[in-house]
Amino acid sequence: MSIQLDPARSETRAAAPRRLSTLDRWLPLWIALAMIAGLLLGRFVPALSDLLARLEVGGISVPIGLGLLVMMYPVLAKVRYDRIAAVTGDTRLLVSSLILNWIAGPAVMFALAWLFLPDLPEYRTGLIIVGLARCIAMVVIWNDLACGDREATAVLVAINSIFQVIAFSFLGWFYLTVLPGWLGLDTQGLEVSVWQIALNVFVFLGIPLVAGFASRWIGERNRGRGWYEERFLPVIGPWALYGLLFTIVLLFALQGDAIASNPLDVVRIALPLLVYFGVMWFAGLLLGKGLGLGYARSAALAFTAAGNNFELAIAVAIGTFGATSGQALAGVVGPLIEVPVLVGLVYVSLRAARAWFGVDPGASGSRVS
């Protein structure tokens, strides 16, 4: 199975729609099987989860890091970096993304955490931490699957990474200590180093971004854009999905026992997450439509607003509260809910392209195949 998007991206270009392959039509099934396989491995092969937990450098799991790098590299190699300037000049897109990610997102998660978990402070704190960790990894692949604007996504993800290093600790202090104090609610401290956040950004964004840019620059310089996009990209394209499935298996293997041992707690944590992902995604898509951004950039705005950097959230929760804490479990439930929900929203997005924007992603040259 592969994820391949035709390099020509124009929402107005007329062409005959291309049908998805049989394998791609069953994408949710492969992801569900990867989740189940991970949960079973973690539950019945505890030595594997212990081994994965020990393979960490600077709080980052090496196997998971490798999986994410394999997942992100092909997508970032497809970005036409000569088009980035056109994206950075779109003030409406950039300002909307900043507002959604760094004002609306944390505030919405704070409200939902207190609304759904007023009696469970550990889980509530874990959810708030998830809301503060804006997505810089998997959003790239969700956007590509939805035929969104990958150049816009690359820019928005880069902006999120910068703000993550600068604002994460401050927002953690504000939403866990200051704001609850103003409202007469319980307070909770959060200690996290800027170095830990910067390392997370470097590993999950910096490395694949540099590799993707270098691939395009070297390939086009030596062999031309036609060879690069028609010969090279189709070869590396399938690895994006392989990396995604590999990462999902490992993530769920790490926490299979914890999830299976606390099913009711998982349900309670899942409810506000379901609401959060839906609210943020629809807010991003409708805002993009209202601003006249077009489908591709509206999809990029929606997925970057809805996704969260669960790698960072889990690392912070474990580093601050411990691996067996309720905060860590809440962080782990994040990808358990985010992966299937955002896969579902990919298909909702493709339908919304036709119903709300009057475009056909398949006919415009973007497809999943």
Side-chain angles (χ1 to χ4, degrees):
M1 184 189 303
S2 64
I3 302 170
Q4 298 178 18
L5 287 88
D6 191 339
R9 281 178 173 268
S10 168
E11 291 185 329
T12 60
R13 183 166 68 88
R18 304 178 185 179
R19 298 182 62 186
L20 297 179
S21 69
T22 301
L23 289 176
D24 289 326
R25 286 198 296 271
W26 292 97
L27 175 64
L29 174 62
W30 312 137
I31 290 179
L33 291 176
M35 293 167 60
I36 293 171
L39 290 173
L40 292 177
L41 284 172
R43 180 66 171 171
F44 297 108
V45 189
L48 175 62
S49 58
D50 292 340
L51 175 63
L52 292 174
R54 290 196 299 269
L55 293 175
E56 291 188 357
V57 176
I60 294 176
S61 170
V62 173
I64 291 176
L66 291 174
L68 287 167
L69 293 179
V70 171
M71 177 192 78
M72 292 184 66
Y73 164 67
V75 179
L76 291 173
K78 295 175 182 177
V79 172
R80 286 188 171 181
Y81 292 92
D82 55 356
R83 295 181 177 176
I84 292 295
V87 177
T88 57
D90 192 338
T91 304
R92 296 172 303 168
L93 175 67
L94 301 185
V95 172
S96 298
S97 179
L98 288 174
I99 292 174
L100 285 172
N101 276 285
W102 297 101
I103 297 178
V108 169
M109 187 67 89
F110 175 86
L112 291 174
W114 275 97
L115 179 64
F116 282 87
L117 303 170
D119 57 328
L120 297 171
E122 290 189 356
Y123 297 153
R124 185 175 64 237
T125 297
L127 282 184
I128 293 173
I129 294 173
V130 171
L132 300 178
R134 311 312 301 167
C135 193
I136 63 171
M138 282 194 175
V139 67
V140 175
I141 203 167
W142 304 139
N143 176 75
D144 246 19
L145 287 168
C147 302
D149 187 322
R150 68 170 67 101
E151 286 76 29
T153 301
V155 171
L156 297 182
V157 165
I159 291 174
N160 274 347
S161 70
I162 295 171
F163 269 79
Q164 203 144 239
V165 174
I166 297 172
F168 186 91
S169 296
F170 169 77
L171 289 175
W173 169 73
F174 178 77
Y175 279 103
L176 294 175
T177 302
V178 177
L179 185 57
W182 289 349
L183 299 176
L185 305 172
D186 296 336
T187 61
Q188 174 71 67
L190 178 64
E191 295 182 4
V192 56
S193 70
V194 172
W195 161 248
Q196 183 180 24
I197 301 170
L199 179 63
N200 189 276
V201 170
F202 171 74
V203 171
F204 297 124
L205 176 62
I207 293 176
L209 184 61
V210 170
F213 175 81
S215 294
R216 179 171 283 276
W217 185 76
I218 294 172
E220 289 190 358
R221 184 177 183 182
N222 294 330
R223 303 293 295 273
R225 174 164 289 187
W227 174 87
Y228 181 81
E229 295 188 339
E230 296 172 13
R231 301 292 295 276
F232 180 73
L233 291 183
V235 172
I236 66 170
W239 287 93
L241 191 51
Y242 301 156
L244 171 64
L245 297 176
F246 176 76
T247 302
I248 290 172
V249 170
L250 292 186
L251 282 170
F252 285 78
L254 271 172
Q255 299 295 335
D257 186 63
I259 293 172
S261 301
N262 302 278
L264 295 180
D265 289 348
V266 169
V267 171
R268 290 203 60 181
I269 297 169
L271 290 176
L273 284 170
L274 284 169
V275 176
Y276 172 83
F277 293 132
V279 166
M280 293 303 298
W281 186 86
F282 277 102
L285 195 72
L286 293 175
L287 179 59
K289 177 175 172 55
L291 292 174
L293 297 179
Y295 169 71
R297 289 192 176 179
S298 296
L301 182 64
F303 282 101
T304 51
N308 289 87
N309 186 353
F310 53 81
E311 304 90 1
L312 175 61
I314 293 172
V316 170
I318 291 176
T320 304
F321 303 103
T324 60
S325 65
Q327 291 89 342
L329 179 61
V332 168
V333 175
L336 175 70
I337 305 303
E338 178 175 347
V339 169
V341 168
L342 290 189
V343 169
L345 288 174
V346 166
Y347 289 89
V348 174
S349 187
L350 293 172
R351 289 183 177 274
R354 302 176 179 89
W356 297 352
F357 293 84
V359 300
D360 186 338
S364 66
S366 300
R367 69 187 184 103
V368 181
S369 64

